[in-house]
Amino acid sequence: MTNTRETHGSDGSRPLALVTGVGRTIGIGAGIASQLAASGWNVAFTYWTPYDRRMAWGVEQGGTEAITRELTGRGAETAAVEADLTDPHAPARIFDEVEGRLGAVTALVMCHCESVDSGLLDTTVESFDRHFAVNTRATWLLIREYGRRFSGVPGTGRVISFTSDHTVGNLPYGASKGALDRITLAAARELAHLGVTANAVNPGPVDTGWMSDEGREELIRQTPLNRLGVPQDTANLVDFLCSPRGQWINGQLLMSNGGLAQYSRCRS
């Protein structure tokens, strides 16, 4: 565990990270939230149960409560906020609730996503619009809300989003993620007056319960390190980026996939 005093100042105070898309205990978002809590952050997180209900893995009963216990067990004050990010008013409401309960947000880490496989010929307009509402528009609105409210010490603010380079057979997901990372990288310049860094991370395929046995074996064969990515791999990178040591990394699209050049699909 990182020493809080060394990481966040002589008074031992804990800054606040807002992590979106933390719906399941085995997900990337939960791994990031847990690592940040261990490194001396308070952590607010969002989730959206209807999304999990639509997906093959379903709703994890008691997942939000288990994540909350994990974070408080690591010394963090925490708040869980259920939010539908297809609603353009949701980002402001999230920040209002989080600030009211825990104070000002120092780091915004966006793990939320809409991810339903479909290609050029079979994607519906409804699905296309939902992907862009969640993956792209909500990312812009969250960053905008963060930028409007940030009042921290210059050099301490962090914006991190998660992208993907998948396109074939996954048109709305890949296209909306491509737009998401452009928005994030723009923030590195447009929030420069606040001393905030902004980076997009491509974690590659991380096994959070969505892979088939065949897909898992194929991805292991394609990865030079001969294993799959796990949430902790991504959490380690985010933890570094959010620390004072990560301040010089800014305006970057970072690949964190073990050297994997091509893969079939990626979902957090």
Side-chain angles (χ1 to χ4, degrees):
M1 180 182 297
T2 304
N3 183 279
T4 302
R5 287 186 179 272
E6 293 179 354
T7 303
H8 300 304
S10 59
D11 64 352
S13 60
R14 298 176 73 107
L16 174 61
L18 169 57
V19 185
T20 63
V22 185
R24 299 184 300 140
T25 56
I26 63 172
I28 290 176
I32 290 170
S34 178
Q35 182 60 52
L36 289 175
S39 293
W41 291 76
N42 291 330
V43 181
F45 65 93
T46 73
Y47 65 100
W48 182 235
T49 302
Y51 174 72
D52 289 324
R53 188 175 294 120
R54 285 193 288 114
M55 306 308 289
W57 52 75
V59 176
E60 180 182 359
Q61 298 299 325
T64 300
E65 293 77 11
I67 293 167
T68 298
R69 287 194 299 271
E70 168 77 10
L71 300 181
T72 56
R74 290 178 176 260
E77 294 183 39
T78 186
V81 180
E82 186 160 23
D84 177 7
L85 289 174
T86 64
D87 179 359
H89 301 291
R93 285 200 295 265
I94 292 167
F95 272 86
D96 284 344
E97 182 166 350
V98 169
E99 287 177 347
R101 295 170 65 179
L102 298 178
V105 174
T106 298
L108 172 63
V109 183
M110 293 168 287
C111 303
H112 65 273
C113 78
E114 171 76 15
S115 180
V116 179
D117 297 345
S118 60
L120 283 165
L121 302 181
D122 60 340
T123 294
T124 66
V125 171
E126 178 186 15
S127 178
F128 187 90
D129 288 348
R130 186 186 303 116
H131 279 80
F132 273 83
V134 174
N135 297 342
T136 308
R137 186 179 68 194
T139 297
W140 160 51
L141 293 173
L142 284 161
I143 293 174
R144 186 178 74 172
E145 205 64 37
Y146 172 86
R148 287 174 170 175
R149 298 174 186 235
F150 182 79
S151 60
V153 176
T156 62
R158 301 288 187 270
V159 171
I160 301 169
S161 68
F162 287 88
T163 189
S164 171
D165 56 8
H166 191 244
T167 52
V168 178
N170 211 355
L171 168 71
Y173 179 75
S176 58
K177 285 285 189 172
L180 167 156
D181 65 50
R182 300 301 97 181
I183 292 168
T184 306
L185 299 184
R189 290 282 187 176
E190 296 194 22
L191 301 183
H193 64 290
L194 300 174
V196 169
T197 66
N199 295 284
V201 174
N202 185 337
V206 176
D207 188 7
T208 57
W210 57 268
M211 294 182 184
S212 65
D213 290 340
E214 181 181 4
R216 190 177 294 109
E217 292 171 3
E218 178 61 25
L219 288 168
I220 290 173
R221 285 195 296 270
Q222 293 181 29
T223 304
L225 295 177
N226 199 39
R227 71 168 176 85
L228 293 170
V230 296
Q232 190 62 46
D233 295 319
T234 309
N236 289 338
L237 176 57
V238 172
D239 189 39
F240 171 76
L241 292 173
C242 287
S243 75
R245 294 168 298 154
Q247 181 184 1
W248 195 238
I249 311 301
N250 189 27
Q252 302 300 309
L253 172 53
L254 302 168
M255 306 295 289
S256 177
N257 61 12
L260 180 65
Q262 296 180 350
Y263 51 92
S264 59
R265 62 189 61 178
C266 166
R267 183 181 290 133
S268 60

